[in-house]
């Protein structure tokens, strides 16, 4: 009953542990303590599921708001700023930026960023195949918990220089697609190592799907 009361009152997780600690201090032991421990585990599981559901609902509402913003008649530069700002807010990330394919074959260019503290090299060209630009080939999300120390993909001096300037560590990238395939990449990054969850990758992918057609508008 105590566990149910904590759930009903939306008590924080540490209250569940405090309940068990008090029970041990009062001399509870044996099967009764075991039952309370099992109830605590179930209570924390339910709490986690409820919290995850609330986060999903909040994310869906944020995506709806983003869709409204993207449908407004704005130029390309403004739209890209909307997308980078929303991406950073949705994931609570330190920085977000967008790279788009250029007319020069095999290169992409940093077109917009949000949350940067340096100039962040807006306008810098990045060779195809460097770092997360493989997203353009695979059309699949990419993430690294600690980008500069990740040897799974080719690094490029200019891109790594940009990452070092902002002291970035954890990075995620999702494709911006419209029509025949990806034409750009939306990135979010943190200045600490970060293991992105499946829900976070899915959320960013949904934002990329929303932003793709809008960001393709002529500037």
């Amino acid at each position: 009953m105590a566990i149910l009361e904590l759930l009903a009152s939306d008590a924080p997780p540490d209250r569940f542990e405090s309940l068990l600690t008090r029970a041990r201090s009062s001399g509870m032991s044996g099967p009764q303590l075991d039952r309370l421990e099992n109830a605590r585990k179930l209570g924390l599981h339910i709490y986690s599921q409820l919290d995850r559901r609330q986060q999903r609902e909040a994310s869906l509402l944020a995506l709806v708001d983003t869709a409204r913003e993207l449908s407004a008649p704005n130029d390309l530069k403004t739209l890209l700023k909307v997308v980078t700002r929303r991406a950073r807010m949705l994931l609570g990330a330190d920085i977000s930026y967008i790279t788009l394919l250029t007319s020069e074959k095999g290169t992409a260019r940093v077109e917009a960023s949000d949350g940067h503290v340096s100039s962040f090299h807006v306008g810098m060209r990045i060779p195809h195949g460097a770092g997360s630009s493989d997203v353009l080939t695979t059309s699949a999300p990419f993430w690294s918990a600690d980008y500069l120390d990740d040897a799974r993909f080719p690094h490029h001096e200019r891109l790594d220089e940009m990452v070092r300037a902002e002291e970035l560590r954890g990075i995620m990238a999702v494709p911006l697609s419209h029509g025949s395939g990806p034409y750009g990449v939306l990135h979010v990054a943190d200045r600490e190592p970060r293991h992105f969850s499946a829900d976070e990758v899915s959320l960013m992918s949904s934002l990329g799907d929303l932003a793709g057609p809008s960001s393709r508008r002529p500037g």
Side-chain angles (χ1 to χ4, degrees):
M1 287 301 299
I3 294 293
L4 287 175
E5 288 173 357
L6 289 175
L7 285 170
S9 64
D10 199 24
D14 60 344
R15 292 279 299 279
F16 292 80
E17 189 61 42
S18 298
L19 180 65
L20 193 63
T21 301
R22 291 198 304 272
R24 290 195 183 101
S25 299
S26 66
M28 184 183 291
S29 62
Q32 189 177 13
L33 184 62
D34 291 340
R35 286 195 297 272
L36 182 60
E37 170 65 16
N38 287 333
R40 181 191 70 88
K41 290 178 181 178
L42 286 172
L44 286 174
H45 178 71
I46 293 170
Y47 182 93
S48 175
Q49 293 296 101
L50 290 173
D51 184 58
R52 186 178 179 185
R53 182 175 299 175
Q54 290 172 349
Q55 289 178 359
R56 283 178 172 175
E57 290 174 353
S59 297
L60 287 173
L61 288 173
L63 284 175
V64 171
D65 287 342
T66 302
R68 292 196 187 101
E69 276 194 275
L70 293 176
S71 65
N74 290 308
D75 58 31
L76 179 60
K77 183 177 180 181
T78 301
L79 285 169
L80 294 179
K81 288 299 293 182
V82 168
V83 175
T84 53
R85 184 179 70 250
R86 282 288 187 172
R88 192 166 71 90
M89 292 172 60
L90 281 170
L91 263 68
D94 290 323
I95 194 170
S96 62
Y97 61 100
I98 286 176
T99 56
L100 300 181
L101 285 173
T102 69
S103 56
E104 181 184 336
K105 187 176 180 181
T107 64
R109 184 173 60 203
V110 180
E111 297 287 352
S113 64
D114 189 77
H116 53 280
V117 295
S118 68
S119 61
F120 204 73
H121 300 72
V122 172
M124 187 186 82
R125 292 177 184 267
I126 300 171
H128 199 338
S132 59
S133 65
D134 275 349
V135 171
L136 292 167
T137 303
T138 63
S139 299
F142 151 96
W143 69 268
S144 172
D146 200 345
Y147 175 81
L148 289 175
D149 288 336
D150 199 329
R152 292 177 299 162
F153 42 78
H155 285 260
H156 188 275
E157 184 178 350
R158 278 184 293 170
L159 180 59
D160 287 3
E161 178 187 353
M162 182 176 73
V163 171
R164 288 191 189 95
E166 286 289 333
E167 300 180 352
L168 301 179
R169 305 288 296 277
I171 294 179
M172 188 205 305
V174 298
L176 296 173
S177 301
H178 184 56
S180 60
Y183 64 88
V185 183
L186 170 63
H187 307 73
V188 291
D190 269 351
R191 294 186 174 90
E192 297 292 336
R194 178 169 177 174
H195 293 268
F196 294 94
S197 69
D199 283 348
E200 290 173 329
V201 175
S202 177
L203 177 60
M204 279 294 293
S205 295
S206 296
L207 179 58
D209 290 342
L210 274 177
S214 299
S215 301
R216 192 64 167 169
R217 297 179 190 175

